[in-house]
Amino acid sequence: MEDEFFRDLRLLGNLCEERLFTRRSVRSLASTAGLTPTTVGQWLKGSRFPKQERSFTKLITVLREAFAHEGIDVGSRHRHLLNPTQWASRHRSVVARRAHPGGGEHLPSGGATAAVTNLRALDSGVFVGREDEIDLLNDLPSTGTGLSAVTVRGMGGVGKTTLVWHHARRHLAAGRGPVWWVDAESPELIRAGLAALAEALDLKPDKSLTDLEASARALAWLQGRTGWLVVFDNAESPSDLRPFLGSLTTGQIVVTTRRDLAWPGGGMTVSLTPLLPNHAVTVLQELTGLRDEEVTEALRELAEELGGLPLALQQAGAYLAQTRVKPAAYLSYLRGDPATMLAEPIPGDEEQRTIARLWKLTLTMLRGANPDAERLLGVLAYCAPARLPRDVLAGALPSPVRVDGALGLLAAYSLITLTADDITVHRLLQSVLRTTTPPPVHPPADLASGDVAHPCDTAIAWLDGASPSGAPGAVAHWTRWELLEPHVAAVAAHQSRFRRRPHPRLADLLGRTGVYLSSRGRLDSALALQEQALRCAETIHGEHHPTTAMHRGNLAVTLNEAGRYAEAEQLHRAVLRIAEAEHGPRHPATAGPLGNLAHALAGLARYEEAIRLAEDALEITRAARGENHLDTAQCKSTLAGTLYHVGQYAKAAKHAAQALHATRTVLGEDHPETAQLMGNLAAVLGALADYDDALQLEQTALDVTRAAFGEDHPDTALRLGNLAQTLLHLGRYGEAMPRAEAAARIMRGAYGAWHPSTAVQLGNLARVHTGQGAYDEALPLDEEALAITRATLGENHPDTALRLSNLAQSLRRTGRPEEALEREKKALLIIKATLGVRHPDYAIHANNLATILDALGRHEEARPLKEEALRVASKAFGPDHPVNANYASNLVYTLHQLGKHQEALPLAQRAVELTEAAHKDRHPDLAVRLNNLAQTFLALGQRTEGLTRQKQALKVAETALGSQHPTTAHIQRKLAEATTSDLPPATRP
């Protein structure tokens, strides 16, 4: 019955593997069932009996629902495997049979013999994080015939002995026994341990019996009984155990070992890994009694450094408890001299059991068994404690067979975790190996023919040889670079500690890794590696070498991306000087530095100089490469961006469109660079009020960027944010909001809180809140955006002016016009100084200042500012641009307040005409314009026309904004005033 139960359980697991697990993960199913993934996995492999019927049948129910939801037909042959009622019945039958097995010919152990044990006291009472494993061992049968040995394996110090000790204690507590612990490092120790069991059972009356004879008596006694447990601890070789396991099949046998080998008995294997971070911290807290929040963070850092290794945690906790030093101090000692700290014995441990001792013994055996393995492990110590692609070691030894043999031995001793694809080494073992490795004597290039390269230099050579040969920022290489990057960062950190000339291949490796990180939006990590690459290149090649210039230029480009334009400018100028000296001022190799410098200057709002440099770069590149080359397209894109900043939108659109056409032709529609240029053109079209075309480009650009870079890339955030702003201009606030929220969240996650792009997305999100009338939600976003922009771009940057103005408007809308006034005045002064009074942005700020003066009742001061804003916008965009509707409508309001209704009428009519032409009859702006026109007619006594327009305004507002929006409520109130009073209507629109 039990065999049939497990057979069907494995069938169910195979069914899930074949049909369901391609669509659902074990983790998600386990979460739904309220179980751990380990438990679910073991049940479906048939390696563990489900102890709780209720939990087990809940899993079956979840599986049945998952199959049904995915529309998977299991067929009539397998349908019974998804029936929880049938499983419940069978489960109860198996449980009953286990409780009363019957029919056995072996005597159960009992009485005084059941209490026989040689278990020693445990060195630590703290036991957490092994709940699944201890339950698994406790669920194993201990009676019956044909029982298989269970192997618990893992690296030294991972807690194998502690786990099995707790299992043995529970075995005794359940009334089963004897429980006997046998040191199994050699056949002699195994025989001695079993002989001691014979003596404890009074099976050795004759003291002259040899250990071999006495152990045979113990084996015979055990084989005739059930309920016992024998632990073979720290077994070294399967051949040592084979003679003993063959005759022990009626009780429970557990083998602990560091060796990942095929152990005799064919039973279950429990592989122990280090503790999870929270469990590791709990161990330290229990041992030290330290639980305050501040100390807990220090303990968490210490637990991370110890890599969750239980014995190391126990050593550290005991040391802290005895010496009363602070966790931070112990961590400092550990980082400075890990070999010494890890050799420090646990207070009160008579056997002096330490991590260093365990590893020293293993490494000694390794040295004698295979010097290749020791050499590879020494090099791996300088990599990161993360997955390293196995093929990085392809040329590490003269033949791949020797590499595989050495890695296999390291894995067999649990010194590395080895799969078919990658290798991982525990961070603490790496730290000890590095500490015990002498520093390099000579620089790599100075090695004599008989010298052996330092392991860190070898690691650099491995990684450089295994890195992708194409452009490091190319999406096709991201997966490979993602695996290599932590190891590059690790060898770079170790190399920087050596006081000597760096490895000649290090600068290039660091530089290419930095370009990859920059393409992923990980700017801080990219900058750290690129700065080190530049230092290496300067040391190896000198200040003015072309290779040094290349690294300097790459660093400057990343600084541009990070918004650190002033630092980028200095580096770009240095690169340009070297290029001009080597190639001449009109060479295509000089055009790249010119364009990069133009980009930095545009970021610093030095637009005239930026335009001149961008035009020079385009002229040089066009002459050398032709009109449709990608380099020419890039130069056009840079120039278009700079022209956009100065408000020359028509010229910018021309260059942006040409750049997109060339890039699309060469790279195709679905390339991320094409998407970038789509977004650039869309931004210019938005400024020209061509929102429909902009929207189409932005949606396509977003789709391409998402597909190429993923959901959390800063370029995806940029595309989302731009799309949200276009939707906002189109009055589609409900669609804009989730995109603006996602853009702000992604950008903050990618670039951090203090990046100019984060400020942009926060400001954009605030504008969507404003469009929805949620002024209180917009205010803190504008405050944060201003703080970021001030800190990163400075007090007098045009972007700072924009943030000041946005905050001022939010203050005005929330009833704080006095606070708004000074901010808006300052914003206008910045724009005058940086962009001039003819720039389109000057119109925005002049108009915004006037709205605050209106709010303060200072309409005479507001009027000339609004008139000037309308003039500047009309000249910049042309008289028929829809932006003029906004300025005309705002001027209407001020004229109403001044009683100038006749002057206001043509402006109000023009505002409606421009808005209708741009947006048809469903845009929120049209509701505002119609309301202003209605109020103008009513003020002039044209009641019929006024009421018609007011009703039209209300209908548009309700359709576009909904009945609860403040603008809708305002228009409804104005309509009510006009229809219920015979008095002349109020003059406020």
Side-chain angles (χ1 to χ4, degrees), residues 739-819:
R739 291 166 173 82
E741 289 175 330
R745 183 187 70 252
I746 295 167
M747 195 67 82
R748 192 195 292 272
Y751 282 165
W754 294 93
H755 190 281
S757 294
T758 302
V760 170
Q761 299 308 326
L762 290 172
N764 288 349
L765 177 57
R767 301 289 66 73
V768 181
H769 279 297
T770 298
Q772 291 187 327
Y775 307 135
D776 289 333
E777 283 77 4
L779 182 60
L781 292 170
D782 283 324
E783 290 173 329
E784 185 179 0
L786 173 59
I788 295 168
T789 306
R790 268 182 168 149
T792 55
L793 299 181
E795 194 67 43
N796 298 311
H797 195 280
D799 283 8
T800 303
L802 176 62
R803 306 284 165 245
L804 275 167
S805 182
N806 287 345
L807 175 57
Q809 293 306 305
S810 287
L811 289 169
R812 174 182 66 81
R813 293 185 181 100
T814 52
R816 297 156 64 182
E818 294 84 359
E819 298 174 58

Side-chain angles (χ1 to χ4, degrees), residues 684-714:
V684 182
L685 293 176
L688 292 169
D690 188 355
Y691 298 121
D692 290 333
D693 286 346
L695 185 67
Q696 184 176 352
L697 283 170
E698 283 165 349
Q699 186 60 65
T700 304
L702 173 60
D703 293 341
V704 172
T705 304
R706 263 191 179 135
F709 294 159
E711 190 64 48
D712 297 326
H713 194 278

